[in-house]
Amino acid sequence: MLAAGRRVAHAGDFSNFSKVRLTDAQGAPLKASALTSEEAYVFHFPFRSIPCFLINLGKRASGPQAMTSEGGDFTWPGGVGKDGNIVSYMAVCSHQLSFPGKEGSVIRYASKGSEIAGKNGMIVCCAHASVFDPAIGAKRVHGEATDPLVTVRLEYDAKDDGLYATGLSGLHLVERFFNVHKRSLIAEYGPGVYRESVGESSPAVPLSKYAASVSNC
Amino acid sequence: MSDCLNRRDFLKMSGAAVVGSAVTVAGCATAGGSTGTATGSIGLKAALPKAKGPRLVIVGGGTSGLTIAKYAKREYPKFDVVLVEKRDMYSSCFSSNLLYAGIINLEFLADHSFLDAARNNHYIFFNATVTGLDRNSRTLATSEGDIDYDFLVIAPGISYDYGRIGISDAEAINTLRTNYPGGFISPTEHVTIRRKVQEMEGGVFVQYVPSGNYRCLPGPYERACMIAAHIKKHKIKGKVLVLDANPEITIKKDGFHAAFNELYKGIIEYKPGSAITGVDLGKKILKTEFDNYHFDDAAIYPGVRASTLIEYLGLVDPKSPQKEAMIDQLKYHVIGDERVFVSGDSRPHPYSKSANTSNTEGKYVAKLLAAHAQGKDISWYSPRTICYSMVSAEPMEAISVDAGYVLNKAGTAVAGFSPDTKLFEKRDAAKGKGTLEWARGMYRELFEA
């Protein structure tokens, strides 16, 4: 069970958490309009070890999408930001749970295409060649994965161009992530620490700075 | 029962492979001896909890069996799943080539527990060796007692076929198995080959590539690269001689040729069309049709057939050159027996015998079993062969293939690769990292919930 964390009531499709402000690496509030569209940013939400991608698609995302998922069906809300171009997903492959680590990442947002995806703007996991389209809710478009990536619901504050993470489209993958990676998470974060809440803010850094190497399959 | 014991002992002592119902003993053979049963009961029931639903017994804790055990239970929770495995400790055959260049250690392959897999996925792990099968009474005999089944999946993998390299003498086979193991079945072979590589001070190491649909098509070429990487790094005055029974590299040929020529020139020598026709073990000579090759050390991968268990249980298709099981290619059940299924590398399909294939096939078979147990049916869909081959160790670089399969026009059997099959033959670091993460993902898949 997800005892730790600051989960609040489950409402509608999403599991809601106290909202977390996204910041830059130094802790200054992130400006949505300053995000590059070249690569994804990595931040942690709602727990300290759960990596999420923040992506500027460089174009407006599609409108709401009806999504089918192991964790239950939900409606993907679309992009946020003044151009509706910012989206966010748990950076954990729904197939066999590969994720970005400090030492390297085999999963990335490939703005300029990839050998496996064959087109621009896809999230690609090199481990087993799964491809997800972030402009339509990270639905699977190729590979062995059947589930979409878990959506991180964002809130945009037009007054200061700020971004907040407020919920997840399901907790099924969080549970599996904790179970499957428990040994390495304990080694990296400490017993129990990996499942603590991130707190009120979470820094988002470009994947290429977060991981020592990024596989460009 | 004493007859059964006698018969089992006879089989053991004779060392003979028993074909179908050719050998029967009164009191042991089932009434319908023509079903080809082999019995080997120790006369005890296995110490298992009472079945709480239809009992699905799976023989073999490799990629296929572990996948089916997990997903059959998930697809149909009423199944009471028992996984029967003869090994008491897991170690994967997949990824073992990476040992030889020091990219991984044994722990990478073996730090995965059958008990954890069973606990996480709600089935029973039963550590025993299969000794017989009575399909009329639906009883599987094991070294730890008999198990009654409602459905049985047999996924025992492969055995070596030394006949394919013209060797039938038991003495010579034993010497080859012991001194120059193929390294595509058991962890003890992997340990031996790693020791050979680490102790290499020079000379010719032969890596043989057999003909036929052998397990892990790119495996022998990948291994040549990994051993060559070790030779290169440690500046050993030695080389890897790849003797290939086939006229050309069997898969990812451009990627392997590039690695051989660009990374290991003078270290790997590649000889296609070099089927071994005999050996002189005293003089360390491998004979082919046109040449004789001296070797200092070797990994002789002789060729592959379905596990001898398939033959012992009387399930071989007599027309199969690799003694594979006589099953319906779409439904996986033994012809004439919809209670017994064969999956994994003993299957007759022309699939790549690889872990990713067995894993994705296993998910299909699990759905099939769940449907079958409920009187339903599902449509066939293709497994997927995602297969990385590491060709460079420092830096890690790999090539890969992502393949599917299609049925023949009649829709009755698998015809070959699907049109969306893609080769990725430009070696790079992304695929190098992908190779390791592929394996880690597979372990998570097989052992975690």
Side-chain angles (χ1 to χ4, degrees):
Chain A
M1 290 300 291
L2 297 168
R6 302 187 304 147
R7 190 175 170 199
V8 293
H10 185 92
D13 298 325
F14 279 72
S15 295
N16 300 311
F17 292 85
S18 302
K19 73 181 189 181
V20 171
R21 175 145 209 156
L22 303 188
T23 72
D24 65 16
Q26 286 71 43
L30 206 62
K31 301 281 186 193
S33 55
L35 295 174
T36 178
S37 59
E38 295 287 306
E39 63 173 320
Y41 294 73
V42 177
F43 66 98
H44 292 87
F45 173 83
F47 306 105
R48 286 176 64 168
S49 63
I50 301 290
C52 302
F53 282 147
L54 177 69
I55 298 170
N56 173 4
L57 295 169
K59 63 174 185 183
R60 182 171 289 275
S62 82
Q65 298 273 320
M67 306 290 288
T68 302
S69 151
E70 259 183 49
D73 296 348
F74 68 99
T75 303
W76 182 69
V80 302
K82 64 181 167 49
D83 299 318
N85 57 328
I86 314 263
V87 295
S88 182
Y89 303 98
M90 248 175 81
V92 176
C93 184
S94 60
H95 174 232
Q96 290 180 4
L97 287 80
S98 295
F99 68 103
K102 294 275 163 56
E103 73 291 349
S105 183
V106 296
I107 184 168
R108 67 168 180 143
Y109 168 62
S111 62
K112 298 238 171 64
S114 85
E115 199 176 25
I116 288 173
K119 55 183 169 181
N120 295 346
M122 297 292 119
I123 294 171
V124 184
C125 179
C126 305
H128 305 87
S130 292
V131 180
F132 307 89
D133 186 345
I136 53 168
K139 282 182 184 164
R140 169 246 186 228
V141 291
H142 175 80
E144 291 177 45
T146 50
D147 243 27
L149 298 183
V150 170
T151 294
V152 178
R153 192 181 50 205
L154 295 175
E155 197 175 292
Y156 176 65
D157 185 343
K159 288 199 291 289
D160 66 354
D161 200 26
L163 290 165
Y164 298 84
T166 67
L168 292 179
S169 62
L171 294 177
H172 59 293
L173 204 68
V174 174
E175 288 279 9
R176 275 187 69 205
F177 182 83
F178 285 158
N179 288 335
V180 161
H181 294 297
K182 192 169 189 174
R183 264 198 290 186
S184 61
L185 294 175
I186 287 173
E188 185 176 348
Y189 293 89
V193 179
Y194 64 94
R195 52 202 301 154
E196 288 176 358
S197 162
V198 287
E200 291 176 359
S201 67
S202 182
V205 297
L207 177 62
S208 60
K209 292 203 168 55
Y210 178 81
S213 69
V214 177
S215 294
N216 60 345
C217 62
Chain B
M1 280 300 161
S2 62
D3 281 341
C4 300
L5 281 169
N6 289 341
R7 178 169 175 268
R8 184 180 59 138
D9 291 345
F10 162 72
L11 294 176
K12 255 194 201 165
M13 284 185 294
S14 71
V18 181
V19 181
S21 56
V23 178
T24 54
V25 175
C28 273
T30 55
S34 61
T35 54
T37 54
T39 53
S41 171
I42 61 170
L44 294 171
K45 284 284 176 201
L48 286 169
K50 194 171 180 305
K52 295 171 189 72
R55 178 151 272 172
L56 169 63
V57 176
I58 297 160
V59 174
T63 307
S64 183
L66 286 164
T67 302
I68 295 170
K70 171 177 174 174
Y71 284 95
K73 182 71 184 174
R74 188 171 290 190
E75 293 288 338
Y76 188 49
K78 284 185 182 164
F79 269 144
D80 187 283
V81 178
V82 178
L83 178 68
V84 179
E85 165 59 43
K86 65 182 177 182
R87 296 176 293 176
D88 61 3
M89 187 168 169
Y90 178 88
S91 186
S92 68
C93 188
F94 65 77
S95 300
S96 60
N97 278 337
L98 306 183
L99 283 174
Y100 311 133
I103 293 172
I104 58 164
N105 54 22
L106 279 172
E107 191 137 317
F108 185 91
L109 303 176
D111 188 16
H112 318 285
S113 164
F114 287 123
L115 301 177
D116 293 344
R119 187 198 58 196
N120 290 337
N121 295 294
H122 315 293
Y123 59 82
I124 295 168
F125 172 68
F126 193 69
N127 194 192
T129 302
V130 170
T131 53
L133 171 63
D134 184 333
R135 291 199 271 137
N136 282 3
S137 65
R138 290 190 216 137
T139 306
L140 182 75
T142 82
S143 56
E144 298 295 318
D146 293 350
I147 307 172
D148 296 329
Y149 63 85
D150 293 290
F151 301 97
L152 174 67
V153 177
I154 304 172
I158 58 161
S159 293
Y160 291 131
D161 178 8
Y162 284 86
R164 203 173 262 277
I165 55 171
I167 297 173
S168 54
D169 172 53
E171 187 89 28
I173 290 174
N174 180 56
T175 303
L176 285 170
R177 295 186 90 99
T178 308
N179 296 359
Y180 312 110
F184 281 92
I185 297 181
S186 74
T188 201
E189 296 179 295
H190 307 147
V191 171
T192 287
I193 294 173
R194 183 173 67 164
R195 178 192 55 73
K196 286 170 178 287
V197 173
Q198 289 175 341
E199 291 180 356
M200 192 175 185
E201 295 184 290
V204 177
F205 186 102
V206 167
Q207 173 61 53
Y208 185 61
V209 189
S211 57
N213 186 15
Y214 58 89
R215 173 182 272 178
C216 193
L217 289 179
Y221 310 106
E222 179 189 55
R223 186 189 292 158
C225 290
M226 293 295 90
I227 297 174
H230 177 85
I231 290 174
K232 190 175 174 180
K233 180 180 178 183
H234 297 282
K235 299 185 174 62
I236 297 163
K237 288 186 174 56
K239 70 173 182 180
V240 182
L241 173 61
V242 180
L243 291 183
D244 193 339
N246 304 286
E248 176 56 282
I249 289 176
T250 52
I251 194 161
K252 307 175 206 168
K253 67 181 168 61
D254 293 344
F256 280 118
H257 277 304
F260 290 1
N261 295 329
E262 294 162 16
L263 302 176
Y264 306 117
K265 205 160 189 65
I267 300 176
I268 292 179
E269 188 180 349
Y270 178 64
K271 295 275 185 191
S274 302
I276 293 176
T277 53
V279 296
D280 183 335
L281 290 166
K283 291 182 182 156
K284 291 191 166 181
I285 299 283
L286 294 168
K287 299 171 185 171
T288 70
E289 193 182 352
F290 301 109
D291 284 299
N292 289 343
Y293 295 95
H294 172 262
F295 65 94
D296 295 291
D297 212 338
I300 306 296
Y301 188 10
V304 157
R305 47 164 292 178
S307 166
T308 48
L309 183 65
I310 296 295
E311 189 169 4
Y312 177 62
L313 299 180
L315 304 176
V316 169
D317 180 348
K319 292 192 198 122
S320 166
Q322 296 197 170
K323 300 190 176 182
E324 285 149 352
M326 190 153 69
I327 59 171
D328 181 300
Q329 283 206 17
L330 308 189
K331 304 296 178 197
Y332 282 81
H333 63 74
V334 167
I335 301 299
D337 186 347
E338 298 194 11
R339 297 280 180 167
V340 179
F341 299 72
V342 177
S343 184
D345 285 350
S346 284
R347 72 175 89 76
H349 309 57
Y351 292 154
S352 159
K353 294 184 191 291
S354 74
N356 210 95
T357 315
S358 283
N359 170 242
T360 49
E361 173 193 58
K363 290 184 190 177
Y364 166 71
V365 173
K367 284 189 205 296
L368 199 63
L369 288 160
H372 193 60
Q374 298 172 84
K376 298 178 195 162
D377 205 0
I378 61 165
S379 299
W380 177 86
Y381 65 87
S382 170
R384 204 78 199 165
T385 300
I386 292 177
C387 174
Y388 287 97
S389 300
M390 198 76 88
V391 293
S392 168
E394 292 178 16
M396 282 196 302
E397 291 179 336
I399 55 181
S400 68
V401 61
D402 181 354
Y405 302 86
V406 287
L407 298 180
N408 59 13
K409 278 186 187 159
T412 52
V414 176
F417 287 124
S418 58
D420 68 344
T421 293
K422 277 192 200 161
L423 288 158
F424 301 99
E425 303 200 66
K426 190 177 167 298
R427 65 175 181 274
D428 63 24
K431 290 192 272 295
K433 291 208 168 63
T435 306
L436 290 182
E437 188 58 23
W438 172 88
R440 290 192 189 106
M442 191 57 73
Y443 297 129
R444 292 196 286 273
E445 166 82 345
L446 301 179
F447 292 90
E448 307 285 349

